[in-house]
Amino acid sequence: MFTNMLVVSEIVQEAHEKIGLEIDSSPHKMRIISSKKQEISFYNNKEKSVYHLISGEIELRSTNSNLIVLNVYAPAIIGLSSIFTSNDLFYINTVTDVELVSIPMSELVKTANEKNLWMYISTIMSHYLDVCYLRDSILYQDSVYNVIKNHLEILWRFKRDKLDEISVFDFILNRTPVSRSSLNKVLKDLVSGGYIKMNRGKLVEMNKLPSGY
């Protein structure tokens, strides 16, 4: 289910491309080239901005908890969730070297009114809403074990080269309020039970996980 939700439909792709072209062609645009592990705010000179992620991967992190809410891969539009509010809920953390173009949110609203772009904006926001709803359904479980189990199953769907780069501890602790001690205990028990194999903190093998713990 999680994998299917992250598949971007042609309609959503078209919406990202259309809004991306408008951002890239704006006379108010600002181009940003950033290395990995850098924080980028949605505010520029106290004015909220919207971004077109042209290349690379970023994390949207909560300003309150610093937990990762969502990983976003180029090409994508970022920042529409607060288009009509002053809430400062997220910030960008770069996972790789990235290239972005930003414009003031007010300019995007003006352009959307002039060129009737609201269907494209609504399509993008609807997709992000679906993904965040799924994330919450995975995160808010009746036990710590189920939260860990769900995230292990998500992680195991990654390609091998990506798995070799990701620490299981970092992946889960950066996305959930699970404590390190609880995570360590569950992982040790899963290794002892033959359900998973780990090497230097990386997940190298996983069988079907038990439904309960």
Side-chain angles (χ1 to χ4, degrees), residues 56-116:
E57 176 189 355
I58 63 97
E59 299 164 341
L60 284 180
R61 287 185 175 248
S62 166
T63 53
N64 292 326
S65 66
N66 289 321
L67 291 178
I68 298 170
V69 177
L70 190 65
N71 283 69
V72 182
Y73 303 85
I77 306 302
I78 312 163
L80 294 176
S81 62
S82 56
I83 189 169
F84 293 122
T85 73
S86 59
N87 295 332
D88 186 17
L89 301 178
F90 310 109
Y91 67 90
I92 294 170
N93 186 63
T94 59
V95 178
T96 65
D97 294 345
V98 301
E99 180 180 0
L100 306 105
V101 175
S102 74
I103 62 171
M105 187 70 78
S106 58
E107 290 299 324
L108 179 63
V109 171
K110 180 181 177 181
T111 302
N113 286 330
E114 292 173 350
K115 298 186 177 182
N116 194 24

Side-chain angles (χ1 to χ4, degrees), residues 11-145:
I11 294 175
V12 175
Q13 288 179 8
E14 180 187 1
H16 280 281
E17 290 171 2
K18 180 64 176 178
I19 300 302
L21 286 172
E22 295 296 335
I23 292 174
D24 294 349
S25 61
S26 170
H28 305 280
K29 70 183 179 184
M30 180 174 69
R31 189 171 298 274
I32 300 169
I33 306 294
S34 176
S35 58
K36 62 183 179 180
K37 297 183 179 180
Q38 301 298 313
E39 293 183 9
I40 301 173
S41 171
F42 280 101
Y43 281 87
N44 182 29
N45 295 326
K46 296 185 178 181
E47 185 168 13
K48 184 164 288 188
S49 298
V50 60
Y51 290 92
H52 179 204
L53 178 62
I54 295 175
S55 65
E57 176 189 355
I58 63 97
E59 299 164 341
L60 284 180
R61 287 185 175 248
S62 166
T63 53
N64 292 326
S65 66
N66 289 321
L67 291 178
I68 298 170
V69 177
L70 190 65
N71 283 69
V72 182
Y73 303 85
I77 306 302
I78 312 163
L80 294 176
S81 62
S82 56
I83 189 169
F84 293 122
T85 73
S86 59
N87 295 332
D88 186 17
L89 301 178
F90 310 109
Y91 67 90
I92 294 170
N93 186 63
T94 59
V95 178
T96 65
D97 294 345
V98 301
E99 180 180 0
L100 306 105
V101 175
S102 74
I103 62 171
M105 187 70 78
S106 58
E107 290 299 324
L108 179 63
V109 171
K110 180 181 177 181
T111 302
N113 286 330
E114 292 173 350
K115 298 186 177 182
N116 194 24
L117 302 175
W118 290 109
M119 180 175 290
Y120 298 110
I121 291 174
S122 298
T123 298
I124 295 169
M125 294 175 69
S126 177
H127 175 70
Y128 280 135
L129 184 62
D130 282 347
V131 175
C132 287
Y133 175 81
L134 179 60
R135 172 192 174 271
D136 285 351
S137 70
I138 292 169
L139 181 60
Y140 297 110
Q141 295 289 318
D142 56 1
S143 71
V144 169
Y145 169 72

Side-chain angles (χ1 to χ4, degrees), residues 2-3 6 57 71 73 95 150-167 171 175 203-204 206:
F2 183 84
T3 303
L6 292 185
E57 176 189 355
N71 283 69
Y73 303 85
V95 178
N150 286 340
H151 281 78
L152 285 173
E153 289 172 343
I154 292 168
L155 181 59
W156 188 240
R157 293 189 178 101
F158 286 20
K159 293 181 179 180
R160 182 75 262 166
D161 58 343
K162 191 74 171 176
L163 280 172
D164 291 340
E165 298 175 355
I166 300 174
S167 159
F171 184 80
R175 289 168 173 79
L203 186 63
V204 297
M206 190 172 88

